[in-house]
Amino acid sequence: MSHKQVVLVTGAGRGIGRAIVRALASPERFIYIHYSTSEDSAKALSEELAQEGKPSRTIQADLSDSEAAKALISEIVEESGRLDILVNNAGLTRDQLTVRMSDEDYDAVIQVNQKAQFILMREAAKIMMRKRWGRIISISSIVGLKGNAGQINYAASKAAVIAMGKSLAQELATRNVTVNAVAPGFIETDMTAVLAEDVREHYLATIPMRRLGKAEDVAAAVAFLAGEEANYITGQTISVDGGMNL
Ligand code: NAP
């Protein structure tokens, strides 16, 4: 397989991940469309890209399993011999007020949103360092910057993503590997579709632009960070939130 760049987007069967794949896809890039349970939509996305002459394939892993996260990168590197761009997008919520939150709900969110991201970053860094080029982009959240009632687990994981990225950015800077984060506000996806109408109204009132964002808004920031134009930007977090983090 010889392509200019090999890309992995996690959680790419739906939502923001799917929009990121669409924004990054090109005839010169081979994209691994990772999914856990959304096999049909991941495969449909890969077929759509094939019609446009943009190469990709789907790849499955449950990121609640650390070994599966590690195997995800080794499968790609064995097959392609490289990994140039890693977009750590897969994530989940298990919301509950702190006094009622179980250890299981805390651990489940930390495992996928934080530990799996660490493993994917570490394994990707090994190959990117050797190639002297790479881009690691993690999807954090406004909640990682400001906290949110009922999301102590999610807030911890999303703040960790930023802190881990800043640490790795310092380790990899001389190797021409950049590590950045994107922090979306409230974006129209399955994750926010479950919110009750009054909660949604409450959030809308906190957004200066008075509307939810689109997955494509987040994808555009990721595409910028993945490109050559961003080659002197590392350890940063771009907020895509209609002004929530002002
Ligand atoms: P979504 O529609 O709920 O999609 C979640 C994605 O994560 C799916 O692709 C899912 O894969 C994957 N995922 C969940 N558990 C997984 C597991 N155990 N192993 C592997 N993959 C798993 O969410 P979204 O809104 O697109 O969110 C994408 C990212 O943006 C997340 O990190 C989220 O925290 C972040 N974010 C979202 C918002 C928002 O308002 N929507 C705001 C800030 C940050 P399968 O479907 O294949 O199972």
Side-chain angles (χ1 to χ4, degrees):
M1 200 187 288
S2 99
H3 289 96
K4 212 172 131 227
Q5 289 181 326
V6 171
V7 180
L8 167 63
V9 182
T10 66
R14 60 195 170 97
I16 293 171
R18 186 180 181 88
I20 292 170
V21 168
R22 291 232 58 110
L24 293 180
S26 87
E28 285 77 42
R29 283 179 173 150
F30 187 94
I31 311 228
Y32 285 89
I33 301 171
H34 160 265
Y35 67 92
S36 175
T37 59
S38 297
E39 181 174 6
D40 291 349
S41 57
K43 288 202 172 0
L45 175 59
S46 185
E47 279 156 26
E48 272 171 40
L49 295 181
Q51 309 255 324
E52 298 166 19
K54 298 168 180 170
S56 70
R57 88 157 170 90
T58 59
I59 189 162
Q60 198 277 340
D62 178 356
L63 297 178
S64 63
D65 173 356
S66 295
E67 286 307 313
K70 200 170 167 189
L72 177 61
I73 302 290
S74 42
E75 186 177 341
I76 291 170
V77 173
E78 271 163 33
E79 188 173 87
S80 307
R82 60 193 298 166
L83 176 60
D84 304 281
I85 301 172
L86 165 65
V87 183
N88 265 326
N89 167 76
L92 71 143
T93 52
R94 292 267 182 95
D95 298 351
Q96 188 54 270
L97 291 174
T98 304
V99 292
R100 293 195 203 132
M101 186 171 288
S102 65
D103 290 6
E104 289 72 26
D105 281 349
Y106 184 83
D107 290 343
V109 168
I110 297 297
Q111 174 61 38
V112 173
N113 296 12
Q114 180 177 334
K115 177 85 182 285
Q117 291 223 9
F118 155 70
I119 292 169
L120 296 175
M121 280 178 163
R122 181 185 65 195
E123 299 306 308
K126 291 177 188 170
I127 181 112
M128 290 175 181
M129 282 170 77
R130 287 204 294 276
K131 300 279 180 189
R132 294 282 195 276
W133 198 96
R135 296 278 193 268
I136 298 175
I137 301 155
S138 297
I139 307 304
S140 176
S141 169
I142 180 77
V143 172
L145 297 168
K146 297 181 82 157
N148 196 26
Q151 293 199 304
I152 195 167
N153 49 358
Y154 186 76
S157 71
K158 292 298 181 180
V161 160
I162 292 173
M164 291 194 300
K166 283 179 185 287
S167 304
L168 187 59
Q170 292 177 44
E171 294 177 19
L172 298 183
T174 58
R175 312 297 178 99
N176 211 22
V177 178
T178 68
V179 189
N180 292 291
V182 173
F186 286 89
I187 309 296
E188 297 272 13
T189 67
D190 295 345
M191 194 175 267
T192 45
V194 295
L195 295 174
E197 197 51 40
D198 58 330
V199 178
R200 206 179 163 87
E201 289 300 319
H202 164 76
Y203 284 139
L204 270 177
T206 68
I207 305 171
M209 286 190 176
R210 295 286 183 269
R211 59 180 170 82
L212 270 65
K214 295 187 179 351
E216 291 73 19
D217 296 325
V218 180
V222 173
F224 167 68
L225 290 170
E228 279 299 331
E229 302 85 347
N231 68 16
Y232 201 53
I233 300 174
T234 196
Q236 301 305 305
T237 303
I238 299 183
S239 289
V240 179
D241 61 8
M244 286 181 85
N245 186 37
L246 291 174

